[in-house]
Amino acid sequence: MADGSAGQREWRVTGMDCGSCAAKVRGAVERLPGVEGVDVALMAERLRMTLDETQTPPERIEKAVRGVGFGIAPKGARPEKPNGGFVLPDGAFPDAAESSETDIEPEENDKPADEAPRSWMNSSKGRLVVGTGALLAAAWASRLVLPAEIAHWAFVLATLVGIVPVAQRAFAMTRAGMPFTIEMLMTIAASGALMIGEPEEAALVVFLFAVGELLEGVSAGKARDSIRALSKLAPKTARLEVGGKTREVAAEKLQVGQVVQVRPGDRVPCDGEVMSGTSGVDESPVTGESVPSLKEPGAEVFAGSINAEALLRVRVLRSAEDNTIARIVRLVEEAESARAPTERFIDRFGRVYMPAVVGAAVLVAVVPPLAFGLAWGAWIYRALALLLIGCPCALVISVPASITSALSTGARNGLLMKGGAVIEAAARTTHVAFDKTGTLTHGKPRVTDVSVLIGSEDDLMSLAAGVENGASHPLGQAICVEAERRGVHAAAATGGRALPGKGAEASIDGVIVSVGSPRLANARGALTDDLRTRAAALEAEGKTVVIVLCEDVPQGLIALRDEPRADAADAVAQLRNLGISSVMLTGDNPRTAQAIAEALGIEHRSELMPEDKVTAIRNLTTDARVMMIGDGINDAPALAAAHVGVAMGSGTDVALETADAAILRNRVTDVPAKIRLARATMVNIRQNIAIALGLKAVFLVTTIFGITGLWIAILADTGATVLVTMNALRLLFFRPAGPPERIGPTAKKAHPEHAAATT
């Protein structure tokens, strides 16, 4: 591919219901020349690869996928109905013909979430079940009224009609280099049962196989719908302001900078900034936060949130393909590609497992008759049952089904994770490292104390706000915000100027008013012993102190601090009760860091440059599993260095791109929630593997001893697949948020060995 002709190509593949289906699609194309980086996403129905079209044209890729029984269409084109698998011809069921994929509107072709739900009877697998069931019922009925010889051939006919499409897929996949598939096992088992004179069981096995495939499809559809429902959160239309009038347009056509109106009760059609209006907005569909958020001019709103109270005019900040909903959907779909280590192991295991099962079945069929003179028919029958029991479908689907459900649950609760590998790593977390500013704290200083020496608090705030009015420094802005909150008008000031490194000053009513650090007051001889003592006491609490001077006469002190988030201490306590140690990494001075850390009950390391944070993370990762939480550009290297990097939703794009996961709601308590979800997912995966292997082990023994037969074998395989899928779907109802933890001596003693590990 040195000629540079290779490029990324993507298709939508329909008809995939389980992990083995995805493996068949992957196997059909990855052997073709010029194909690299094959990625098959089961729930997103996506096939993506790097393709050198000079060696293999796209048409050959599509032919290979259709050859193994799946529908395929280029990204954005009308989805294609899978070929094969029908017992009865199109038109036998009018409803099915009327609701075929060709009725989908062109503009909806690339939006799977928008397709109308179809009844299981209208699907190819549903019709296969109905057809084989009807033929089996007819065969049983014929046995009651017709001679045994004729009834025998009725069962043979029912078996052949049902097994032919399965055999076609089996041989197609064999030609594609995949001989060990459930279709091939079914074909051998059904054909073998006919040969040894068991047509009744053969027909029943074919019917049960069809039922099992239908149930797999229904279960996969439920899991897929839970993700696709996310894309339905954003409305399809928006009320666009054009020339003083409003008109309804498609939301996907909105451009950055345009202004839309959002009426009470409407969903916000875009990510934007409120231009005018004040209203409570329900952001629970996007962030999971149940309490409506007050939105005023200048506030940001998310696509998919619901305006609750009054008309808002919103300026579009992001295009439809880059809004919050689109990013969540894209992240969840892309997360399928980041496969968990457990899933990769099971895939490797499956490649060895299937040939081993076939070999074992051959031995069961041949050794007892040859070595011990036992009946050929009985042992061939048991070998055929063993083949069906050996199907790895339940084992293959056990991990991706749980991962997909967890990703969907996380997305609904504002907890985004980029795939199964991240979930597995998060579940093993033993230490959490927090950035301070913007993560444990709000990221903006706030006025905490106002101490007056002369006059009133309002007078002091009026003078300070007058000097700082229009300031760009965060401390000055915080003083102005506090004055506005108190309803205090900033004093009219002239001649304002900054005093670099010290503060600012301006003229108010002909008097020079200065707002600056204790160092400025000291330089002007205004720092008395009492003032110095007060300032030192406030600074000991991690606060920044400014002194207001009128003609170098102290008027009072204002203390500011970047306050911890309301839930930060609770989050640290919850992590402690989960057996996880926490440490705060910050570039702040030791006194401020210590004050914040003591309030939260967390270890801390201060005066760290970005490279120092990376070193601290690497030191922790030598003997612990570390999750790093941050929000800024300076946190990106540390996020990448940790086993799991988590970005706060308010963080920079760099942090969000670098991180393995994100917290949309900016709540620190979502960190333990994310770990709870990851741990619950891994428990679910272990349960699924136990179900899949346990059932196979039980029926393997009963089959070899002749206790169970063919129809029980296929029922066990189908049942295991359905049980595994339904167990995975339980995660859709998991609630990651735990109860608030009591913060006190008891909580701090929960896991002293972990707390000691961070010191």
Side-chain angles (χ1 to χ4, degrees):
M1 298 188 188
D3 58 2
S5 58
Q8 192 86 352
R9 292 298 301 262
E10 185 173 325
W11 291 265
R12 180 180 173 191
V13 177
T14 50
M16 296 189 295
D17 294 329
C18 66
S20 62
C21 293
K24 292 167 188 173
V25 173
R26 187 182 300 111
V29 299
E30 63 184 1
R31 294 180 177 86
L32 297 176
V35 173
E36 289 185 356
V38 177
D39 171 32
V40 183
L42 170 65
M43 294 305 165
E45 296 184 314
R46 184 188 66 236
L47 168 63
R48 182 184 293 162
M49 68 181 68
T50 300
L51 178 65
D52 184 352
E53 297 185 20
T54 62
Q55 298 187 53
T56 299
E59 293 77 15
R60 187 176 175 189
I61 298 292
E62 295 171 6
K63 181 179 179 181
V65 174
R66 292 189 186 103
V68 293
F70 300 96
I72 182 171
K75 181 181 179 182
R78 182 172 300 179
E80 182 178 89
K81 182 169 57 180
N83 293 324
F86 297 117
V87 174
L88 301 178
D90 286 342
F93 294 96
D95 291 342
E98 291 170 7
S99 62
S100 68
E101 284 87 334
T102 57
D103 295 333
I104 297 174
E105 293 298 325
E107 65 268 24
E108 295 181 352
N109 290 337
D110 59 343
K111 298 185 180 73
D114 294 340
E115 293 175 14
R118 300 172 60 204
S119 165
W120 64 269
M121 283 191 62
N122 294 335
S123 67
S124 60
K125 292 184 178 181
R127 296 165 64 193
L128 180 63
V129 168
V130 173
T132 53
L135 290 170
L136 181 61
W140 280 108
S142 68
R143 190 172 188 176
L144 298 176
V145 297
L146 297 175
E149 294 79 6
I150 298 177
H152 171 89
W153 289 107
F155 282 108
V156 171
L157 178 63
T159 302
L160 292 176
V161 171
I163 201 62
V164 165
V166 177
Q168 289 174 338
R169 296 202 304 271
F171 289 115
M173 283 180 277
T174 300
R175 288 194 299 270
M178 294 174 287
F180 299 108
T181 61
I182 180 58
E183 285 82 4
M184 181 59 75
L185 299 185
M186 267 298 307
T187 301
I188 295 172
S191 303
L194 290 178
M195 293 173 63
I196 62 175
E198 296 287 349
E200 296 92 340
E201 285 216 46
L204 183 57
V205 164
V206 170
F207 172 69
L208 290 175
F209 176 73
V211 172
E213 290 222 309
L214 175 64
L215 291 176
E216 285 180 3
V218 172
S219 298
K222 294 293 184 184
R224 194 173 281 138
D225 289 345
S226 67
I227 293 179
R228 289 178 173 173
L230 294 171
S231 63
K232 295 181 180 179
L233 293 175
K236 302 303 176 191
T237 61
R239 291 172 56 83
L240 177 65
E241 289 189 0
V242 181
K245 299 181 179 179
T246 61
R247 63 185 179 92
E248 197 167 88
V249 300
E252 63 183 17
K253 303 296 184 184
L254 292 176
Q255 298 179 0
V256 175
Q258 291 182 325
V259 177
V260 297
Q261 290 185 1
V262 186
R263 298 170 298 187
D266 287 352
R267 287 186 182 269
V268 179
C270 61
D271 281 4
E273 178 186 0
V274 176
M275 302 293 292
S276 64
T278 300
S279 178
V281 174
D282 178 7
E283 296 180 336
S284 59
V286 181
T287 67
E289 179 58 67
S290 59
V291 179
S293 176
L294 180 64
K295 300 296 181 181
E296 299 174 309
E300 187 174 354
V301 291
F302 302 123
S305 53
I306 303 169
N307 183 19
E309 298 169 353
L311 180 71
L312 294 176
R313 294 177 64 248
V314 176
R315 181 170 63 88
V316 180
L317 293 181
R318 298 185 186 92
S319 59
E321 61 269 16
D322 196 38
N323 65 31
T324 301
I325 296 296
R327 292 172 73 180
I328 292 174
V329 172
R330 189 161 56 245
L331 179 66
V332 173
E333 290 185 344
E334 292 296 331
E336 277 197 81
S337 303
R339 305 167 73 201
T342 303
E343 183 179 359
R344 292 195 295 268
F345 169 76
I346 287 177
D347 279 355
R348 293 194 300 270
F349 174 74
R351 297 191 191 105
V352 178
Y353 170 79
M354 284 289 283
V357 167
V358 173
V362 171
L363 292 176
V364 168
V366 173
V367 172
L370 290 180
F372 306 104
L374 300 179
W376 280 95
W379 286 95
I380 290 176
Y381 178 87
R382 295 178 188 183
L384 295 177
L386 181 61
L387 282 179
L388 296 181
I389 291 172
C391 172
C393 288
L395 187 61
V396 171
I397 197 65
S398 60
V399 178
S402 298
I403 295 295
T404 301
S405 295
L407 292 173
S408 179
T409 295
R412 289 202 313 273
N413 288 274
L415 311 172
L416 302 185
M417 289 179 276
K418 297 180 180 178
V422 176
I423 291 176
E424 194 161 330
R428 297 199 301 268
T429 297
T430 60
H431 288 63
V432 173
F434 290 97
D435 171 52
K436 181 182 78 71
T437 305
T439 303
L440 288 174
T441 66
H442 291 282
K444 294 181 179 179
R446 298 180 180 180
V447 173
T448 59
D449 302 88
V450 178
S451 181
V452 178
L453 299 176
I454 299 174
S456 66
E457 289 189 3
D458 286 354
D459 293 338
L460 186 68
M461 292 303 302
S462 178
L463 290 173
V467 174
E468 299 288 2
N469 193 21
S472 59
H473 194 281
L475 295 179
Q477 293 176 346
I479 289 172
C480 294
V481 168
E482 178 64 15
E484 184 178 350
R485 187 189 70 80
R486 292 171 175 242
V488 175
H489 295 288
T494 59
R497 69 187 185 95
L499 303 173
K502 297 179 180 179
E505 67 179 17
S507 175
I508 298 176
D509 294 333
V511 177
I512 298 299
V513 179
S514 306
V515 179
S517 64
R519 185 172 54 176
L520 174 65
N522 187 50
R524 295 186 176 181
L527 191 62
T528 64
D529 290 341
D530 177 59
L531 206 56
R532 183 180 286 107
T533 301
R534 291 192 188 193
L538 291 169
E539 288 176 343
E541 298 175 10
K543 299 173 182 176
T544 300
V545 176
V546 297
I547 300 174
V548 181
L549 307 172
C550 283
E551 297 292 358
D552 296 340
V553 176
Q555 305 296 302
L557 300 88
I558 300 174
L560 306 94
R561 187 170 73 171
D562 182 8
E563 289 290 277
R565 296 181 186 270
D567 64 339
D570 183 20
V572 172
Q574 288 188 37
L575 288 171
R576 186 181 300 114
N577 285 353
L578 289 172
I580 296 172
S581 302
S582 304
V583 60
M584 181 180 74
L585 307 178
T586 178
D588 263 349
N589 63 76
R591 189 160 52 183
T592 299
Q594 183 175 356
I596 296 291
E598 287 181 351
L600 300 180
I602 188 174
E603 298 292 328
H604 73 281
R605 298 175 190 178
S606 58
E607 295 185 327
L608 300 179
M609 298 294 288
E611 58 270 24
D612 298 326
K613 290 185 180 181
V614 173
T615 301
I617 292 295
R618 286 176 177 166
N619 289 338
L620 284 172
T621 56
T622 56
D623 57 0
R625 304 294 299 184
V626 180
M627 176 183 287
M628 170 69 190
I629 320 294
D631 77 316
I633 292 176
N634 62 326
D635 296 322
L639 292 173
H643 291 110
V644 181
V646 180
M648 299 294 280
S650 60
T652 64
D653 287 341
V654 174
L656 290 170
E657 291 298 325
T658 305
D660 303 303
I663 293 173
L664 290 183
R665 297 184 292 193
N666 290 321
R667 296 199 316 201
V668 191
T669 47
D670 279 350
V671 175
K674 187 180 290 287
I675 294 173
R676 285 192 196 93
L677 176 60
R679 290 183 175 181
T681 303
M682 295 311 298
V683 169
N684 191 275
I685 287 172
R686 287 190 286 270
Q687 291 171 346
N688 281 349
I689 293 174
I691 291 171
L693 293 180
L695 283 176
K696 289 186 184 302
V698 169
F699 285 99
L700 174 66
V701 174
T702 58
T703 297
I704 291 178
F705 284 98
I707 300 172
T708 53
L710 281 177
W711 70 273
I712 289 291
I714 192 63
L715 195 60
D717 175 66
T718 299
T721 302
V722 173
L723 281 175
V724 161
T725 306
M726 298 305 293
N727 186 52
L729 291 178
R730 289 193 309 114
L731 286 171
L732 295 175
F733 306 99
F734 181 76
R735 296 294 174 262
E741 302 291 347
R742 184 165 67 88
I743 303 166
T746 303
K748 292 185 178 181
K749 292 178 182 176
H751 294 275
E753 71 281 4
H754 292 286
T758 62
T759 58

